[in-house]
Structure formats: structure tokens, C-alpha cells
Amino acid sequence: MRKWLTGLVVLVATVMGMTVGGQTMHAASHYTITTDTTFPPFEFQTQGGDYRGIDMDMLKEISKREHFTYTLKPMSFNAGVQAVQAGQVDGILAGMSITDERKQTFDFGTPYYKSGIVMAVANKSKVDSLKDLKGKTVAAKTGSSGAMYAQRMAKKYDFKITYFNDSNTMYNDVIIGNTVAAFEDQPVMAYAIQQGTKMKIVTDPADGNWYGFGVKKGTNAALLKDFNAGYAKLVKDGTYDKIVNRYLGEGGYNYKENAAAKSAADQSIWSLIKENKAALLDGLIKTLQLTIVGIILAALWGVLLGVMGVAPSKLIRGLSSVIIYIFRGLPMLVLAFFIYIGIPNLTGQKIPAFTAGVITLILNEGAYIGAFVRGGFKSVDPGQLEAARSLGMPYGKAMRKVVMPQGIRLTIPSFINQFIITLKDTSILSAIGIIELTQTGTLIIARNLQGFKVWLMIAVLYLIVITLLTWLSNWVEKRIN
Amino acid sequence: MAAIVEVKDVHKSYGKNEVLKGISLDVAEGEVVVMIGPSGSGKSTFLRSLNKLEEINSGQIKINGWDLVDPKNNIDKTRETIGMVFQHFNLFPHLTVLENMMLAPVEVGKQSKAEAEQTARKLLDRVGLADKADVKPNTLSGGQKQRVAIARALAMNPKIMLFDEPTSALDPEMVGDVLAVMKELAEEGMTMIVVTHEMGFAKQVADRVVFFADGYIREEGTPEEVFNNPQDERTRDFLNKVLNV
């Protein structure tokens, strides 16, 4: 038993170390920079899994010229903005408009691209002005300039807004007709349409604004200086124009046409799997790491809460109840954001996304485990504890040797259930930028537009893992009984 | 004979309901005391307070030289010297018979496994269950379970044994085997306090019979005195009911 426990702790420590350890060593000029998951032509993921686009190519050139290195952390735009404010990342380069409101919390680099907000509708739509939106619902991306513009117009023209975390999902929502129009940055919208998105722009660019590289106000001055110096060099030697032309010029890189051509020629699921094997495997491994580390630590924490829940001391029992009440009551997404973005915002101390994800799992799943473990302990006949104590066994020993083995046995079916729930819950952690299986699916679709097939693949992968996990659990259950 | 149990003026309440209203009782070494009385009279509560499964509100309890009321008293050490047998056996269902008997001697008695196993097998043989060493308790009959429970308590080599209605949960044909083991134990000189409804056992084995009613000890004496010539009206009433069925 003790050996088994030691092995477990070593395993957990190893997995944690593997994923977390690498990020804590920072050289003087190494930065973490966030970008949007999909915002072509500024940022998007290529078939090979690299991030490309105007922003990304620019960042690469600037880092070369200014001799700094960086880790790229793509996440939804909204999460990225918050991650900068929380100090989780150093800067954001995501086609971000410079606004007066944002200037209160961000320092921006030299404006690098002029843009404006346009309204786009499905090709067959009859909507062609803001007036037509009365009583209808439109789509916008959370925290974007398009969303801010839409919010201002919503009062005047009396329409409602639905928010999305990435552009592709938003476009799809308009195309299938759930919402009637999308508000998006002009170059992004134009580029998407040029690339085959079945929408049309119906308004002139409004709210003309500039894009800028942002850091949290009052921090990372050196990074901002490097960025500005590098950008000036790019403009001067013509690299900037070359980069923009690469995407927006005649015959420029067309990521969707490439994807469309590929999928038209070869649509089988097998080829999709083959093409995305590496990404899917990485996502699956990350999901499994989260699940395994999460469930093991949550189980330890949950058993502790369960033990506390039947303690002789009223105070300890109360503490256990309060902890279970809070963390069972909080939605997991709120908890994840609170840990990843809320706490660093307060303390100024970065928490790596994986660690934040694991802590979320421990607290959330641990609360559920604590509740049923407490129930399991309570359902053991009180005579068992009395008999053990009567033999002279101290409370702790009597619990460990007599009550807990019986109580835990009763909870095995609940534990199996919790394993499966934990595996599924890891998908929620995609929201804080962990590229696990679900996020991998989002990224692949952003690239190849094969929504049905990719989600089918992801769903099947989850089911396979859950089936294996169930078999394993049933085998363990039989062995124990 | 020296008293190894000294109880003075013990009171115990559950909320407003006082169940022990001033109990005093001394038990001498080697004595067998049988406590009888109607249900709810407080005899089980009193027995359980002797190893602190129930906390008393006031009074004194000294047992085997340990002062149970002293907050600094080590209750675990105290309990090692007191064997307890329950109405519902309370065997540990996840352990085999042998493991049930070895657990406490190894964990708190600091015996080696081999030592504990040797003792356990000897005791099992004594209660007539040598062949059941390696089975789980749920395969045993009620009578067998209770004999294992007695053997388990004896494995700690206690100075005194407490029995809380040890035959009440048994089928009638099982009662005899358990009582036989208890009688043998009494004959060997074990100090025993037994709460029971088995009047035959009380008459035959007890050195002293104590009658409980309404939270008081109403009467005590030799079995002859209590059964043949009860002084208290409540005792007469009770004995009439249980003996003339």
C-alpha cells in the first residue's frame, strides 16, 4: 500500500514537472506572447501546426532583429486580453484595435495597421443596413472592437447581440442563420470572404482604428521598445510591405483555398486523421495528462475532505462542508478563470495554464469526491468504529484500518463515474488556453472548415478513451471485490 | 479481593433525558457481575461508559487502575485492558477471521505477526472455530460470529471483559454455544460484566446479579437472593414477567 502511494506521488510529480518545469526558467529576453486562435490574415494555424499571418510573420522578423525569443500562447481573444492584464503573458499581438478605453489598461506599441468595423451578412441575406437589424440578433466576438461597435449601435437600432470566442464559429453562426449579421474588422472580414466564406460586406468601414501591440500598462517597457524598434526597421527595409502582400496581395497565400482544395481532392476521415495525427495525439496526451494528474490529486484531496467530513471535531466537519459547498457550487469555467486570471491579477504571480487547470480539477472534482467519500464513510456501521476503538486502536488508526477501507469500497462506482466526468471536464480548460483535445479540434476546424468530420473524430476519440477507462475501472473494481 | 472496577455516583443525560441517575458499583477481580433489567433502564449505557464509548456527565469511574474521568487519561491504553463484546458482533467484514483477531494486537499491542497469529489460532481453537481462520465473517452464522468476536477481544489479553447483550441478536439454537464459551471464561477466573436477558446464565454463572430500572440500581445480590427473594417491587415485577412466560 505504502509503496503504491509513493509510486503515485512520484508519477504525479514527474508529469507535473514535465509540463510545468520548462516554463519557469526564463532567460532575460524571453517573452510569452498571446495571440488569437484564428484571426486571418493576422493569425491562423497552418496545416503543419505553425502560427502564420501578418502579425505572426511580423513578430518573427522583429524578434530576429531585436534578439529576443518568445513563447506563443494562442487563446481566444478575450482570454488573451485578460491573460495580459493578469500578468500571465507579457504581450498581446492579435489584430487588437487601439481604443481610448483600452489605453487605460494597456500600453500600445507603434500603430501598425489601419482598420475599421464592417457588418457582414450571409450571401442570400436581404439585410443591407443597420436599420434592417431591428428586433434581430447579430454576432460579435467577445471583447473585440466589433463587439464594442455593435454594443453602441444596438441601442440606436434596437437589435440583440450574441457573443462568440472565435471568428470561425461566428461566421458559421451567421451562415446557418442563427444570427443575421456579424460585426468584424474590415481586413479580416474581407480576407475571409476572399477565401471562400459565404458572406458579403454590406456597410462601409466605421470606427476607423489602428491595430497595435499591447502590454499591460506600466509593465514590459523593454519589450515594447524592442517591438517598436523592430517594427521601424521592418517598415524601413520593406519587409513589412512584403509580409502584408504575402497575405493580402494578388496571389497571396490563401490558407482556406489551400484547405478547400485539399479537402475537395481528398475528403476521407482517414486522410484527415493522417494529416492531423500529430496535433490530435498532442491534444489527446494533454487531455490524458490533465485527467490523470487531476483525478489522482483530486482523489487525494477528496478523500481528505471526506475524512474531515466525519471527524469528531465540529469545526473540521464544518470546514469540510464549506469547502465542498463552495467548489461544488462554482461552475468549473468560473473557477478556471478565477485561478488562471483572477488570482494572478491580485497577486501579480503567474500561474502556468496547466497548473491552473490541474488546480481547477482538484478543487472542483475533489469537492464531488469529498461529498461521496464522506457519504461512504458515514454509511459504515458506527459499530465498526466502536469495535476498533474498544480494542484500543486510536481514532486515526481505527479510521485507516477499519472504517476507510469499507467506506472507500462503497464509493468505487462513484469514483469510476468521477473519472469519466473528469476526462470530459478537461475540455472546459481549453478556455484558459490549454491545447487539449477539444481545443485541438477548434484549431483544426479553423484551418480546414471540416466541422462535421473533425468534431466526429474528436467525439470518437473521447468515447474510445472513456471506454478504455471504463474497462480498466471495472477490472479494478472486480479485483478489489 | 481487590476491586478492579470502582464506580461512584455516575450521572448521564441525553439532552434533558437522564438515563443514569447516580450509579455506584464495585467489581472485584475474578467476579462475574450480570446486569439485568427492562429495556431502557440504562444498563447498556452504563456498560458502554465503562470503556468510554459513552461520556458521562458526572461521577467517577476507575477501571484496572485507570481513571476514566481524568482528561489526561490515555483512553487507548485503558481500552487495551478491557475486552468488549457487542450485541451485533461488529466483526470487520473486509478482513478474514484471523485478520480480525490479529489487527489490534499487531497495530497497537506491538506484537509480531507470527506471535499474533499463534495467539489468534489458539483462541479460535478454544472457541471451537479453528477451521474458520481464513474465511470472511459474512460466511459465518451468528453464533460463530459472536464466538469470533469474543476471541478477538481476548486476543488483546484483557483484564476484564464487558458483554453488551451478546446473545440478543442470535437465533435461539445459537445461544448455547456462545453462553458455553462465556461460562468457560468465567470458570477460568476472568472478571466479567454482562448485560443480558438470559436469566439461566445469570442464575448459573453470576457471582452477583444487579437489577437496573429507570436509571438506578434497584437491587443487587447473589443470584439466589435476587431470583428467589427479591426485595424491590420493580425487581419482582420484572422477574415475574421474564420468568413466567
Side-chain angles (χ1 to χ4, degrees), chain A residues 109-120:
Chain A
T110 316
Y112 66 86
Y113 194 93
K114 177 89 157 77
S115 174
I117 306 298
V118 293
M119 179 172 106

Side-chain angles (χ1 to χ4, degrees), chain A residues 37-107:
Chain A
T37 46
T38 31
F39 195 58
F42 292 93
E43 39 265 336
F44 56 87
Q45 207 183 14
T46 66
Q47 297 285 6
D50 298 331
Y51 264 84
R52 294 295 301 272
I54 294 172
D55 283 347
M56 297 300 99
D57 291 8
M58 207 165 71
L59 181 62
K60 197 172 171 191
E61 291 296 328
I62 290 173
S63 73
K64 259 190 226 159
R65 281 168 175 71
E66 299 303 317
H67 309 291
F68 65 82
T69 53
Y70 60 91
T71 306
L72 195 66
K73 294 215 76 175
M75 55 184 101
S76 77
F77 179 73
N78 192 34
V81 167
Q82 295 185 53
V84 173
Q85 288 306 322
Q88 289 280 26
V89 296
D90 299 309
I92 177 167
L93 187 61
M96 185 183 189
S97 301
I98 302 170
T99 63
D100 287 342
E101 206 179 352
R102 283 183 182 147
K103 272 185 195 163
Q104 291 170 16
T105 49
F106 283 93
D107 287 333

Side-chain angles (χ1 to χ4, degrees), chain B residues 61-245:
Chain B
I61 298 177
K62 282 188 186 157
I63 187 159
N64 297 331
W66 302 88
D67 184 352
L68 265 64
V69 181
D70 181 356
K72 278 177 285 186
N73 181 50
N74 184 336
I75 187 62
D76 296 321
K77 287 280 166 224
T78 310
R79 283 171 175 154
E80 284 180 34
T81 66
I82 306 170
M84 178 91 181
V85 175
F86 299 87
Q87 181 179 354
H88 295 287
F89 332 125
N90 297 353
L91 294 180
F92 308 136
H94 61 300
L95 302 177
T96 64
V97 166
L98 204 60
E99 286 165 345
N100 260 276
M101 298 178 62
M102 289 165 59
L103 182 65
V106 171
E107 290 294 329
V108 301
K110 302 292 170 222
Q111 290 184 24
S112 73
K113 280 203 172 165
E115 219 177 322
E117 184 175 338
Q118 205 186 1
T119 315
R121 286 194 188 277
K122 222 182 271 170
L123 286 166
L124 268 185
D125 190 38
R126 201 171 131 189
V127 299
L129 294 169
D131 56 330
K132 299 291 186 187
D134 296 314
V135 305
K136 288 279 173 70
N138 62 6
T139 63
L140 300 178
S141 72
Q144 292 171 328
K145 282 181 189 165
Q146 196 59 300
R147 282 185 279 157
V148 171
I150 293 171
R152 179 176 70 179
L154 291 173
M156 287 299 285
N157 197 21
K159 290 207 174 94
I160 179 168
M161 288 283 286
L162 310 179
F163 294 83
D164 188 6
E165 302 199 25
T167 57
S168 298
L170 298 180
D171 291 338
E173 75 268 25
M174 306 283 181
V175 172
D177 289 342
V178 172
L179 291 181
V181 169
M182 289 168 65
K183 194 176 162 189
E184 203 185 305
L185 206 54
E187 281 161 2
E188 284 167 15
M190 175 62 77
T191 312
M192 292 163 63
I193 304 180
V194 183
V195 171
T196 188
H197 295 294
E198 296 294 331
M199 296 305 146
F201 177 81
K203 276 183 193 167
Q204 224 186 332
V205 184
D207 295 313
R208 184 154 41 125
V209 174
V210 176
F211 177 74
F212 268 73
D214 307 323
Y216 298 103
I217 291 178
R218 289 297 185 123
E219 184 160 358
E220 57 181 305
T222 63
E224 290 77 30
E225 287 166 355
V226 174
F227 284 106
N228 299 337
N229 188 18
Q231 301 299 309
D232 189 274
E233 197 184 327
R234 291 279 285 134
T235 318
R236 276 199 294 274
D237 198 35
F238 175 76
L239 290 175
N240 259 330
K241 278 181 189 154
V242 294
L243 295 176
N244 306 320
V245 187

Side-chain angles (χ1 to χ4, degrees), chain A residues 344-361:
Chain A
N345 215 330
L346 188 74
T347 62
Q349 196 75 37
K350 281 188 206 182
I351 302 173
F354 186 86
T355 308
V358 168
I359 294 172
T360 305
L361 288 174

Side-chain angles (χ1 to χ4, degrees), chain A residues 18 108 120 136 227 246-247 252 302 320 331 382 428 449 451 455 476:
Chain A
M18 256 164 24
F108 286 101
K136 301 206 162 89
F227 182 90
R246 191 178 293 157
Y247 297 96
S320 161
I428 293 172
L449 307 177
W455 284 127
V476 169

